[in-house]
Amino acid sequence: MAVGEICNREVVIARKALSVVDAAQLMRQHHVGDLVVVEERNGRRHPVGIVTDRDIVVEVVAAGVNPDVLKVGDIMGPEVATVRESEGLFEALRYMRGKGVRRMPVVDRDGGLVGILTLDDLLSLLAEEMTELAKLVSHERQREAASRA
């Protein structure tokens, strides 16, 4: 299954110049734990970073830094791990594990933002698949028992 089939295509975005306070309010408003930081290139949004609620807590609040003076670009990581929408699910999982990230922007072949893949979304998908497998095993047992009766 390709990542593009399962990623969330409703991505909350931010620009580097957005204040950290505004970023936190945007996260609260949309009930998300991250913002994909983008730059416009040729009329398309290209991910250049991610800022998470944890980044704000650890890098700003816990460090005692005034959030009013910081911008998203000040606290986002130096590089962003992305995955192409055509990439397979297990390859994407392996890549996320290797990079140590829970969220990855999904891009098209030109690097334009098309969605986001999160560990939470993957866990939900895998849980659904496991439930269907368990139902299959249960159904098979019932069918076998009925045929012996």
Side-chain angles (χ1 to χ4, degrees):
M1 178 180 294
V3 169
E5 295 176 41
I6 61 169
C7 71
N8 184 346
R9 292 189 179 257
E10 294 180 23
V11 183
V12 184
I13 61 166
R15 308 268 189 248
K16 288 181 181 180
L18 185 70
S19 77
V20 168
V21 172
D22 288 341
Q25 290 171 347
L26 197 55
M27 287 180 201
R28 183 171 191 251
Q29 175 186 348
H30 292 279
H31 307 285
V32 296
D34 63 89
L35 302 174
V36 176
V37 184
V38 297
E39 289 180 351
E40 291 281 336
R41 296 184 202 142
N42 300 322
R44 304 274 327 270
R45 296 175 175 153
H46 290 260
V48 294
I50 289 187
V51 172
T52 67
D53 47 6
R54 187 174 194 282
D55 292 331
I56 294 172
V57 169
V58 172
E59 300 298 327
V60 181
V61 177
V65 179
N66 180 357
D68 295 320
V69 300
L70 289 177
K71 304 293 182 200
V72 165
D74 297 328
I75 65 169
M76 69 179 213
E79 66 179 60
V80 61
T82 62
V83 62
R84 288 216 173 154
E85 64 183 329
S86 59
E87 197 70 46
L89 174 62
F90 290 106
E91 291 81 10
L93 279 169
R94 194 173 304 125
Y95 188 54
M96 289 174 81
R97 186 175 57 237
K99 291 289 188 179
V101 296
R102 296 173 50 102
R103 304 164 176 96
M104 283 193 346
V106 178
V107 297
D108 61 20
R109 63 183 172 158
D110 298 321
L113 180 66
V114 297
I116 189 162
L117 183 66
T118 69
L119 181 60
D120 293 351
D121 294 335
L122 292 172
L123 287 173
S124 293
L125 174 70
L126 293 172
E128 287 176 26
E129 294 297 322
M130 293 301 289
T131 299
E132 291 303 314
L133 287 172
K135 288 178 184 177
L136 176 64
V137 170
S138 176
H139 179 72
E140 182 64 26
R141 285 184 187 150
Q142 291 172 359
R143 197 176 97 209
E144 186 176 307
S147 69
R148 290 186 182 165

